[in-house]
Amino acid sequence: MTLLTLGDAIPDDFFDGARARILDLQRDNGAIPWYDGGVIDPWNHTEAAMGLTVIGEIEHARRAFRYLSETQLSDGSWWGQLGSAVPFDDDHQYTGGDEGAGKPIRDTNFTAYIATGAWHHYLVTRDRQWLVDIWPHVEAAIGFVVAHQTAHGDVRWAANDPHTPEDDALVTGCSSIYKSLECAIHIARELGHPTREWSAARVRLGEALREKPHRFDRTWEPKDRYSMDWYYPVLSGAVTGEAARKRIAAKWDIFVEEGKGCRCVLDQPWVTVAESAELVMALLVAGERKRAEELLSWQHQWRAECGAYWMGFQFDQNVAWPAERPAWTAAAVILATDAVTGTTPASRLFAERTLSEAAE
């Protein structure tokens, strides 16, 4: 186990395997699929781009952002899956295809995440012209998301398309949107654009996450068996301070397996590296640094021989499962390590809430 703390230098070769894995998966057009033969979705693609930014692969990260720019739909959204699972024509329009190949979903959380990735990239590079160039895509994406916010503050999980008729909201998705709104407001302020509408939307969304649990999971089974529903309101900064610490403590013994990591779901003996890395960052936001450092140290045992990280570990059978090394998993560990050590200028972004909730 490698215990890293604030101020520690990350060994030069520490992420060689993770770096190689993401770069090996990235296609010539900049797209980064989940894993070999996997689909591309805008959220996990952006997560991988942020991992590349942290480890200094700036041009590869920018290729990933260019891919987002080139595949954005006219309303500011993206299809939820791009690539092998869903057929598209040359204009990125869904064309149908074999049964089971996928559904054309315009997910609000997936759409919002470009703002998080863009602000993170700018914090590292301080390239203002790059930020100016990507701004129209961020503005269009956040416009799409805010248009799907209800009067109660929650954000509909996806556009009302034929395959997504459910008028409902997700705790994890809305929490991630809350963080993306934070980053979008930072970008707008940096470039001198108004932020009042987005700030007000973020306030309403935060209130919904903290005070209106009835607005989530109204039309489907509750998602509270997933660990992300537990820690994402803390990771995003929607829940902070003592409330965040109480939330983490309430389900720690349910979701965390000592010496291994965070379960994906409470009823399976399966820890996943990405969820564990995200929980590391949520612990930092909650002020639980010592626990965050320890949890991060457990994750390095789940490396494959090549140095990339397995998706997860089934500890009853004592096997890595599934036998995949996703790009987003490698990126999540990179981001968590940066947040713990404070290596890059973007490290604080996932270690604390960087914007108050006052509407302006």
Side-chain angles (χ1 to χ4, degrees):
M1 293 186 183
T2 303
L3 185 65
L4 294 169
T5 62
L6 184 63
D8 283 350
I10 302 172
D12 291 341
D13 61 348
F14 196 72
F15 283 125
D16 281 357
R19 179 199 310 267
R21 181 58 177 158
I22 300 173
L23 293 179
D24 181 60
L25 286 169
Q26 188 172 36
R27 299 175 180 174
D28 290 343
N29 65 356
I32 305 174
W34 294 356
Y35 37 70
D36 299 303
V39 301
I40 304 135
D41 77 67
W43 199 100
N44 287 298
H45 169 88
T46 301
E47 184 88 342
M50 288 192 286
L52 290 173
T53 299
V54 169
I55 57 178
E57 295 288 351
I58 302 303
E59 182 50 40
H60 283 278
R62 291 189 176 181
R63 285 174 55 198
F65 284 110
R66 283 196 295 272
Y67 175 78
L68 288 178
S69 301
E70 291 165 359
T71 56
Q72 190 172 30
L73 301 174
S74 59
D75 64 1
S77 69
W78 285 267
W79 293 118
Q81 291 182 352
L82 300 166
S84 60
V86 181
F88 292 85
D89 63 21
D90 291 340
D91 295 322
H92 309 292
Q93 297 301 307
Y94 180 73
T95 59
D98 297 336
E99 184 178 355
K103 296 179 179 180
I105 298 171
R106 291 181 291 152
D107 185 294
T108 52
N109 172 34
F110 287 11
T111 296
Y113 208 48
I114 187 176
T116 301
W119 182 242
H120 176 270
H121 190 82
Y122 175 71
L123 288 174
V124 172
T125 65
R126 290 294 172 180
D127 187 336
R128 186 178 178 82
Q129 185 57 54
W130 181 87
L131 194 66
V132 168
D133 292 343
I134 203 167
W135 163 253
H137 302 284
V138 173
E139 183 180 30
I142 298 301
F144 171 84
V145 172
V146 171
H148 287 83
Q149 186 172 38
T150 76
H152 303 276
D154 54 302
V155 177
R156 196 183 196 277
W157 76 284
N160 187 12
D161 290 329
H163 289 290
T164 54
E166 305 91 348
D167 184 14
D168 212 334
L170 294 160
V171 170
T172 297
C174 281
S175 296
S176 182
I177 290 170
Y178 182 86
K179 187 67 177 182
S180 291
L181 284 169
E182 172 187 312
C183 295
I185 292 165
H186 278 308
I187 296 171
R189 288 179 177 177
E190 180 68 22
L191 298 180
H193 298 297
T195 63
R196 183 178 297 275
E197 180 185 0
W198 294 355
S199 295
R202 181 168 170 267
V203 169
R204 294 194 300 271
L205 180 55
E207 290 172 348
L209 286 164
R210 292 187 296 271
E211 303 168 14
K212 301 177 182 180
H214 59 280
R215 291 299 304 170
F216 301 91
D217 300 335
R218 305 188 308 276
T219 65
W220 48 56
E221 287 295 313
K223 306 296 184 185
D224 55 1
R225 66 188 284 263
Y226 293 91
S227 60
M228 290 189 294
D229 261 31
W230 163 55
Y231 66 74
Y232 248 85
V234 177
L235 172 60
S236 69
V239 177
T240 57
E242 186 60 26
R245 289 185 284 275
K246 287 181 178 179
R247 186 180 183 94
I248 294 295
K251 294 187 177 180
W252 181 266
D253 293 336
I254 296 174
F255 283 116
V256 177
E257 189 71 17
E258 186 71 21
K260 295 180 176 65
C262 181
R263 295 174 187 245
C264 177
V265 291
L266 60 83
D267 52 349
Q268 294 294 328
W270 178 43
V271 294
T272 45
V273 176
E275 273 84 348
S276 298
E278 289 178 334
L279 179 54
V280 167
M281 295 183 280
L283 288 167
L284 292 174
V285 175
E288 299 277 1
R289 172 164 287 277
K290 184 176 180 181
R291 186 175 278 184
E293 292 168 353
E294 183 178 31
L295 177 59
L296 178 61
S297 75
W298 300 344
Q299 301 319 301
H300 307 307
Q301 64 187 305
W302 310 132
R303 284 173 166 163
E305 288 186 6
C306 65
Y309 291 86
W310 294 113
M311 183 176 180
F313 187 80
Q314 216 279 4
F315 50 84
D316 273 2
Q317 298 179 17
N318 203 37
V319 294
W321 186 85
E324 300 289 358
R325 296 159 292 142
W328 83 73
T329 296
V333 179
I334 292 169
L335 291 170
T337 303
D338 188 37
V340 165
T341 60
T343 299
T344 77
S347 60
R348 289 176 54 237
L349 185 59
F350 296 110
E352 60 188 71
R353 185 169 72 176
T354 63
L355 185 69
S356 66
E357 207 182 66
E360 296 181 2

